[in-house]
Amino acid sequence: MPELKRIGILTGGGDSAGINACLRAIVRRAHKEGIEVLGFRDGWRGPIEDDAVPLTPDSVSGILPQGGTILGTSRTNPFRKVQKDGGTVWEPTERVDRILQNLNKRGIDALIPIGGDDTLGVAWRLYENYGVKVVGIPQTIDNDVAGTDYCLGFHSALAVVTEALDRLHTTAQSHHRVFVVEVMGRDSGWIALLGGIAGGGDVILVPEEPFSVDEVVKGIQARLARGRTFSIIVVAEGARPVELGGKQVAQAGKVDAFGHVQLGGIGYWLADRLAERGMECRVVVLGHLQRGGIATPFDRLLATRFGVAAVEFALAGRFGVMVGLHGHEIVAIPLREALPQSPKPVDPVFLELARAIGVR
Ligand code: F6P
């Protein structure tokens, strides 16, 4: 078994509540083995620019309940996305060499990247092609990394959506209004569907199943016929209206640092279509509120379990994996298995549940 003297950590992509609890767990578990921990700042920018800070049990003391990430994050991508022979390939840029040099210079024996499929995808390529010893931790409010039942941060985002829907119910009811609530979720409807069910949404629209304006109108009219004079429609930012040929509504010309088209606007688009049918709506875009704030107890526990397990997998020499939750158990999943299946669509069990209560 290789001896571990120093572990590197970084947090990349969209943040969420629960990351700091995870950093704390990694540092505390590593400290018990006498392993030093170095935190790279702002995702992959840290190892590219050799921007890092030592993390000790003292320096992570008190961060358990804090949202966000004390290390900062970014969507820096050391690879370039290229379309070749009808498929996507990731070509290394000179940033990859800089990562390798800096990890070597800093004496990093194992790297624990925390993030979604973009961040973990970079980790996977560094492991497969350059032998960097990585153990990933899936963290995204979108809950769309395959190989784990839940990603860190998802549960806290659900709590925000549920509370928002509870609050909107009272005003929607008083004013006899239709509300369109746009939530995050680029490619999968985990937040919209589970948050919508938990918060009592009346119509839930997810990217996995294209919807028509007609079906939304029918849903609202059916409620009116039952004397329900308000409705709450929960729509994922990546939902696909058939009227747009199943395309997503994106911010014209805007691409993020990783290379993704920036979505947003489906809520207003839908409200405009409903207004054309004589239904006046109010739109609420929950946006980054879903990523902010403190972590739920579930996420704090998951963060602690994921952090401890990541160190233990590294100690056992299990690299090229990520930690995952299967039922109650924490397991090591090869990144080569998890990533090709990501983004993970919402579990059909929840689509069935939504159908069973008539909100899908
Ligand atoms: O964290 C994932 C995510 O929430 C996506 O659902 C969303 O498209 C994206 O982040 C937006 O993040 P940002 O505005 O930080 O680029």
Side-chain angles (χ1 to χ4, degrees):
M1 210 73 67
E3 204 201 341
L4 283 189
K5 288 200 179 114
R6 189 171 296 151
I7 286 178
I9 323 181
L10 61 86
T11 57
D15 70 341
S16 70
I19 299 176
N20 284 330
C22 191
L23 297 177
R24 171 181 174 270
I26 293 169
V27 172
R28 290 175 77 130
R29 182 65 187 90
H31 183 75
K32 281 191 84 171
E33 304 295 329
I35 301 169
E36 287 174 23
V37 179
L38 199 64
F40 288 99
R41 292 198 181 90
D42 300 339
W44 292 107
R45 188 193 70 74
I48 292 169
E49 296 180 12
D50 194 29
D51 187 359
V53 56
L55 297 177
T56 63
D58 271 352
S59 71
V60 297
S61 171
I63 68 171
L64 170 76
Q66 284 172 23
T69 160
I70 57 161
L71 289 178
T73 185
S74 74
R75 295 192 189 272
T76 306
N77 186 356
F79 291 84
R80 192 183 306 115
K81 199 177 187 176
V82 181
Q83 298 304 327
K84 244 190 206 163
D85 307 326
T88 302
V89 287
W90 294 91
E91 284 184 346
T93 67
E94 43 77 43
R95 294 166 157 200
V96 170
D97 293 334
R98 281 157 63 187
I99 291 177
L100 301 176
Q101 279 160 16
N102 288 327
L103 292 181
N104 193 28
K105 183 178 113 186
R106 293 280 194 167
I108 300 296
D109 302 312
L111 183 65
I112 303 182
I114 304 174
D117 57 346
D118 290 342
T119 304
L120 299 182
V122 171
W124 179 32
R125 283 182 275 285
L126 290 176
Y127 171 76
E128 291 275 335
N129 303 328
Y130 305 93
V132 177
K133 292 176 176 165
V134 299
V135 179
I137 296 184
Q139 175 281 129
T140 164
I141 66 163
D142 291 348
N143 201 40
D144 60 357
V145 178
T148 181
D149 294 347
Y150 293 112
C151 298
L152 181 59
F154 170 62
H155 198 263
S156 303
L158 273 191
V160 174
V161 173
T162 305
E163 189 192 340
L165 295 179
D166 285 347
R167 287 177 183 274
L168 287 172
H169 262 92
T170 58
T171 178
Q173 201 159 12
S174 308
H175 285 265
H176 314 287
R177 266 180 181 151
V178 175
F179 272 89
V180 177
V181 185
E182 180 181 313
V183 299
M184 282 188 173
R186 288 186 69 81
D187 302 296
S188 56
W190 283 96
I191 300 175
L193 191 58
L194 276 68
I197 293 172
D202 301 303
V203 177
I204 301 174
L205 307 168
V206 294
E208 288 86 345
E209 296 187 333
F211 72 95
S212 70
V213 176
D214 272 351
E215 98 190 37
V216 178
V217 170
K218 264 194 212 142
I220 299 170
Q221 282 171 344
R223 283 177 55 77
L224 281 170
R226 296 202 310 273
R228 314 302 287 156
T229 59
F230 72 96
S231 287
I232 296 190
I233 300 155
V234 182
V235 59
E237 63 179 344
R240 303 166 184 275
V242 293
E243 289 79 0
L244 295 180
K247 286 213 180 87
Q248 295 173 315
V249 178
Q251 310 268 328
K254 287 198 184 163
V255 175
D256 70 19
F258 203 87
H260 297 299
V261 170
Q262 276 185 325
L263 298 181
I266 182 71
Y268 285 99
W269 180 90
L270 179 58
D272 287 347
R273 301 295 79 74
L274 295 175
E276 286 164 9
R277 312 273 188 109
M279 291 178 176
E280 195 198 343
C281 300
R282 294 292 187 270
V283 180
V284 176
V285 179
L286 287 184
H288 297 79
L289 283 173
Q290 295 159 94
R291 295 216 305 238
I294 59 169
T296 57
F298 179 90
D299 267 337
R300 296 180 197 195
L301 289 168
L302 189 64
T304 306
R305 294 187 77 191
F306 274 179
V308 165
V311 174
E312 288 177 355
F313 291 146
L315 281 166
R318 299 184 73 179
F319 296 112
V321 298
M322 63 170 215
V323 300
L325 179 71
H326 283 186
H328 292 295
E329 213 188 322
I330 302 290
V331 290
I333 316 290
L335 288 166
R336 113 167 49 87
E337 281 172 28
L339 291 170
Q341 295 179 56
S342 304
K344 168 185 74 172
V346 70
D347 189 329
V349 161
F350 293 105
L351 286 167
E352 280 314 312
L353 184 64
R355 278 191 258 281
I357 57 168
V359 295
R360 220 5 260 136

